[in-house]
Amino acid sequence: MDMDLKAIEQMVEQVLREIQSEQIVNVTEQRKEGYGLFSTIDEAIEASEKAQKKLLYTGMADRQKYVDVIRKTVLNKENLELISKLAVEETEIGCYEHKLIKNRLAAEKTPGTEDLISEAVTGDNGLTLIEYCPFGVIGAITPTTNPTETIINNSISMIAGGNTVLFSPHPRAKKVSRLLVKMLNKALIEAGAPSNLIAMVEEPSLENTEKMISNPKVRLLVATGGPSIVKKVLSSGKKAIGAGAGNPPVVVDETADIKKAAKDIVDGCSFDNNVPCIAEKEVFAVDSICDHLIQYMKDNGAYLMTGKQQIEELKALVTTEKGGPKTSFVGKSAVYIMDKFGVKVPDSVRVIIMEVPKDDLFVQEEMMMPILPIVRVSDVDTAIEYAYEAEQGNRHTAIMHSQNVEKLSKMAKVLETTIFVKNAPSFAGIGAGGEGHTTFTIAGPTGEGLTSARSFCRKRKCVLADAFSIR
């Protein structure tokens, strides 16, 4: 770790005290300086609209400069460590070391203006230019599981596209969200950007989110979260991008490198205590290699539960009466969960595994905690069939460990997921150890997929008739 953990904790405590007592900067000064924090949603929308009109008349070089300022601000060592630590402290979700990785990933691998590729068509009838242009003010709803990562990622993409963004963070992440929005706006203003390119209301709430959704000045809605919030924005009557839940299955067949597959699965499942929507949530393993896979998983930090009664007791501990995950266990470590279960395990334990049937609650329900059910199957075709059922049509993410190209192709076609990771941990799908850009708004329900700057733009066509075709 780059910085002494105790020093970071002291810094976080100080920031929390300042936020609590409103000593960071008073509200009047925030409005004066344009640091993006507003007492009412109407004020925030008005400021965001004014900022977008100013941004519209800046050049692409300026937009890229603003993107670079966001990157530099987040990647500042002190800032990166502070927002990562505060996110865990406030939400009580995830792992500080992994928040560092995710925040850095969002800053480094979210595309900027280079994503906005123009098209040109020329011929005897002249020149037609097709370009990606801004929507205007974007209302973005962010989750408690990835609060800072989503703000960084969305801010870069949306500003690169010429938009301003009004965030509606989860109330349980409001302190770190306020800190980050203020931090980014301050840096942007110092770089010559218009005030309030990024904005939020100081006290996020369902009521404020409803007002944001219904306000006609908010041209595009983006929801990163669970099914209910995605459904809400999709029923708004506006253009909406929905990044919903997933329940990513893993298939392991007899041709896989079992030792590597076991390590990859544990690494992916335990990453940020399993809160990423792309993380491995259940495993379907071919019988002939299942025992070997489990042993190698144990060698890499998995704790195996074997008794049926013990598994049911764990289920009762971490789930609600309706069968969903208890909020108090979401994003907690395997060691924490086992401690609450009454079993002391070494700190090296990262994942809790158990063999269960395919219709088990742990298989069918996305838990967002490092509990990984394993289903033993007779053959790879059955594994793919069961994986399809468990993924439940979310078309979000799937993972497969195999050397059989035919079966890899079959799983890709059957599940039709936005991300399909082969022979690697799930996080390779967002650019951590894999090629390609990153995003924390993975729009499966509305089809945009791995969003980037162009996802938050509309195409416009500019026609010059009977001229400027010079071929």
Side-chain angles (χ1 to χ4, degrees):
M1 195 182 304
D2 292 334
M3 187 176 179
D4 180 71
L5 187 57
K6 184 168 285 187
I8 297 170
E9 289 174 345
Q10 291 172 348
M11 192 186 308
V12 169
E13 288 172 4
Q14 176 64 24
V15 171
L16 286 170
R17 284 196 297 270
E18 290 177 346
I19 292 172
Q20 188 67 33
S21 60
E22 297 182 352
Q23 290 174 352
I24 283 184
V25 75
N26 64 47
V27 175
T28 302
E29 190 66 14
Q30 284 172 351
R31 293 190 189 121
K32 177 183 174 183
E33 297 294 343
Y35 290 157
L37 304 181
F38 296 89
S39 58
T40 70
I41 193 69
D42 291 334
E43 289 175 329
I45 292 170
E46 182 182 352
S48 193
E49 185 186 35
K50 288 180 180 177
Q52 200 277 325
K53 287 178 179 177
K54 293 178 182 178
L55 182 63
L56 189 62
Y57 289 97
T58 61
M60 292 296 287
D62 287 324
R63 286 195 217 166
Q64 186 57 45
K65 181 174 76 170
Y66 305 153
V67 165
D68 292 339
V69 166
I70 295 172
R71 297 192 205 280
K72 183 179 179 181
T73 303
V74 173
L75 293 173
N76 173 279
K77 179 174 175 288
E78 185 175 305
N79 292 342
L80 182 64
E81 292 174 337
L82 179 58
I83 62 173
S84 300
K85 184 65 179 175
L86 184 55
V88 176
E89 290 277 344
E90 183 181 11
T91 67
E92 299 183 342
I93 288 174
C95 166
Y96 165 68
E97 290 80 4
H98 294 166
K99 294 292 188 189
L100 282 173
I101 294 171
K102 291 164 69 179
N103 285 319
R104 185 181 293 114
L105 189 66
E108 291 180 339
K109 297 196 74 172
T110 301
T113 57
E114 72 278 7
D115 193 54
L116 306 174
I117 300 171
S118 300
E119 303 172 49
V121 180
T122 62
D124 293 342
N125 291 323
L127 166 70
T128 291
L129 185 64
I130 302 168
E131 293 191 303
Y132 288 100
C133 299
F135 269 90
V137 177
I138 298 177
I141 301 164
T142 59
T144 186
T145 50
N146 297 303
T148 53
E149 304 94 319
T150 308
I151 287 178
I152 296 162
N153 172 242
N154 283 181
S155 295
I156 290 174
S157 294
M158 293 170 184
I159 291 172
N163 307 282
T164 53
V165 53
L166 173 59
F167 284 110
S168 179
H170 194 287
R172 281 171 47 211
K174 66 181 180 182
K175 293 177 183 177
V176 71
S177 299
R178 288 197 306 235
L179 177 65
L180 180 56
V181 166
K182 177 181 179 291
M183 182 188 292
L184 295 179
N185 272 297
K186 186 173 185 297
L188 286 164
I189 291 167
E190 289 172 355
S195 299
N196 306 310
L197 293 183
I198 306 165
M200 66 170 281
V201 67
E202 289 180 284
E203 292 295 333
S205 65
L206 182 59
E207 181 184 0
N208 280 323
T209 299
E210 296 276 8
K211 288 181 179 179
M212 182 184 75
I213 290 172
S214 62
N215 194 297
K217 293 180 180 180
V218 178
R219 300 289 186 85
L220 171 64
L221 296 170
V222 179
T224 307
S228 60
I229 193 62
V230 171
K231 183 178 180 181
K232 185 178 290 290
V233 299
L234 293 183
S235 61
S236 66
K238 297 181 181 182
K239 165 69 175 175
I241 294 175
N247 191 36
V250 188
V251 166
V252 186
D253 76 6
E254 67 279 4
T255 71
D257 180 337
I258 306 303
K259 190 172 184 179
K260 180 179 183 300
K263 183 179 185 305
D264 287 349
I265 293 168
V266 172
D267 286 347
C269 176
S270 63
F271 188 65
D272 207 22
N273 292 339
N274 200 247
V275 294
C277 50
I278 62 165
E280 291 85 342
K281 299 296 194 285
E282 61 277 340
V283 177
F284 300 93
V286 172
D287 179 59
S288 61
I289 54 86
C290 192
D291 290 333
H292 296 292
L293 180 69
I294 290 172
Q295 183 56 54
Y296 284 130
M297 290 176 76
K298 289 168 65 179
D299 293 343
N300 282 279
Y303 176 86
L304 177 64
M305 277 192 168
T306 54
K308 184 175 180 182
Q309 182 178 343
Q310 192 180 37
I311 294 168
E312 290 304 312
E313 289 172 354
L314 177 66
K315 199 175 295 177
L317 175 70
V318 301
T319 62
T320 65
E321 291 182 0
K322 293 182 178 180
K326 283 183 183 174
T327 303
S328 57
F329 285 97
V330 169
K332 296 299 193 294
S333 70
V335 172
Y336 175 93
I337 294 169
M338 290 305 298
D339 181 66
K340 295 300 180 183
F341 188 63
V343 177
K344 296 291 183 182
V345 297
D347 289 344
S348 58
V349 170
R350 297 187 287 157
V351 175
I352 304 162
I353 62 174
M354 69 286 293
E355 278 198 61
V356 295
K358 74 179 182 72
D359 57 354
D360 189 87
L361 178 65
F362 278 152
V363 175
Q364 299 299 325
E365 184 73 25
E366 185 181 35
M367 289 287 115
M368 291 185 291
M369 56 188 82
I371 294 175
L372 188 65
I374 299 171
V375 180
R376 189 184 295 258
V377 298
S378 58
D379 56 76
V380 65
D381 293 305
T382 303
I384 293 171
E385 177 189 339
Y386 289 177
Y388 173 77
E389 293 174 6
E391 210 275 328
Q392 298 174 28
N394 291 311
R395 296 192 292 182
H396 195 294
T397 299
I399 305 99
M400 186 170 182
H401 295 269
S402 173
Q403 299 299 321
N404 188 325
V405 175
E406 179 186 351
K407 299 305 180 184
L408 287 164
S409 298
K410 177 179 178 178
M411 183 159 170
K413 290 179 179 178
V414 170
L415 271 71
E416 297 184 283
T417 50
T418 301
I419 297 175
F420 182 38
V421 177
K422 300 172 285 295
N423 300 316
S426 55
F427 47 70
I430 55 170
E435 292 297 328
H437 77 272
T438 195
T439 184
F440 288 87
T441 297
I442 301 167
T446 50
E448 290 80 8
L450 276 75
T451 56
S452 60
R454 71 180 71 177
S455 306
F456 308 114
C457 292
R458 59 195 185 99
K459 280 191 172 184
R460 294 176 63 193
K461 185 176 182 180
C462 183
V463 179
L464 178 62
D466 300 325
F468 222 75
S469 176
I470 58 175
R471 288 182 293 178

